[in-house]
Amino acid sequence: MANSGLWVGVLTALTALGASYITARATSRAALAQARTTTMAEALREQRDRRRSTYREMMRCAHAFSEVTWQIDDVDAARDRGSKDRLLTEMYERIGPAIGNMNKATHEVRLDGPAEVSAAAEQVRQRARRVQPLLKALIGAENPEPRNADAAYVEFRDAYVAFIGQARQALEVKDEG
């Protein structure tokens, strides 16, 4: 009888050890899965924050470019050719650095992606670059109608609006559930 009690004790101990091992393994797996989920969520949050910052910089540069081109209304309001040319020259001198900043911002967007947003940023940059020589052509022009710079600006603005849409879509949190 004593042997049978010993066997029951050994069997109970082995069962407890087995159950403890299985529980520890399940707990370890759950902790590992939780750590992976937390790490992935952290990485996605960092990527989203980096993209948001990069896209905002691109938008800031596009807005700075727009501020230069909006001065065309002042040119239109100027009374004499000399005043018009002075304003156009000032715009032309300011537009170069604005495009340079946009070039840098576009390269940053390329790094952070995704491809659709990168392509949209490149379109904004290309459309902005088209405005510069058209603006220069207005300096000293007697009859600049139709003004090609206006049409080029509209193309820039349309590309900019498309960029914003692509950027917003890239930043949206998608429900995986």
Side-chain angles (χ1 to χ4, degrees):
M1 208 44 136
N3 265 348
S4 134
L6 178 65
W7 285 111
V8 169
V10 168
L11 187 58
T12 302
L14 287 175
T15 303
L17 282 174
S20 174
Y21 173 76
I22 290 170
T23 302
R25 242 183 114 173
T27 302
S28 174
R29 284 183 182 166
L32 183 59
Q34 180 65 34
R36 284 183 185 143
T37 301
T38 301
T39 301
M40 180 64 89
E42 201 58 41
L44 289 173
R45 186 174 22 263
E46 285 176 20
Q47 178 189 54
R48 186 171 189 266
D49 290 347
R50 189 176 58 249
R51 284 180 175 176
R52 177 183 297 270
S53 175
T54 302
Y55 300 165
R56 281 191 175 151
E57 178 61 16
M58 179 69 183
M59 292 169 67
R60 187 195 65 73
C61 290
H63 184 75
F65 173 85
S66 291
E67 284 180 337
V68 173
T69 60
W70 292 335
Q71 286 183 303
I72 200 72
D73 291 337
D74 296 338
V75 172
D76 291 340
R79 295 183 184 204
D80 60 84
R81 184 75 245 168
S83 297
K84 289 180 189 273
D85 286 347
R86 182 182 50 75
L87 289 169
L88 286 167
T89 300
E90 182 182 305
M91 286 175 65
Y92 182 76
E93 289 170 353
R94 288 182 57 212
I95 209 164
I99 291 172
N101 291 335
M102 195 178 312
N103 287 338
K104 181 181 176 199
T106 301
H107 296 312
E108 292 294 322
V109 171
R110 283 185 188 140
L111 284 175
D112 287 330
E116 297 82 14
V117 180
S118 296
E122 179 61 23
Q123 286 299 309
V124 172
R125 184 178 81 87
Q126 290 298 327
R127 296 301 183 260
R129 291 181 66 201
R130 285 193 60 220
V131 173
Q132 189 176 24
L134 296 172
L135 184 62
K136 186 174 185 177
L138 293 176
I139 300 171
E142 288 302 318
N143 188 9
E145 298 298 331
R147 215 165 42 199
N148 294 328
D150 288 347
Y153 177 77
V154 169
E155 290 176 1
F156 162 79
R157 188 191 63 222
D158 291 345
Y160 178 52
V161 169
F163 167 78
I164 293 171
Q166 289 291 330
R168 182 182 298 131
Q169 187 176 5
L171 293 174
E172 285 179 356
V173 176
K174 293 164 180 68
D175 184 15
E176 299 291 327

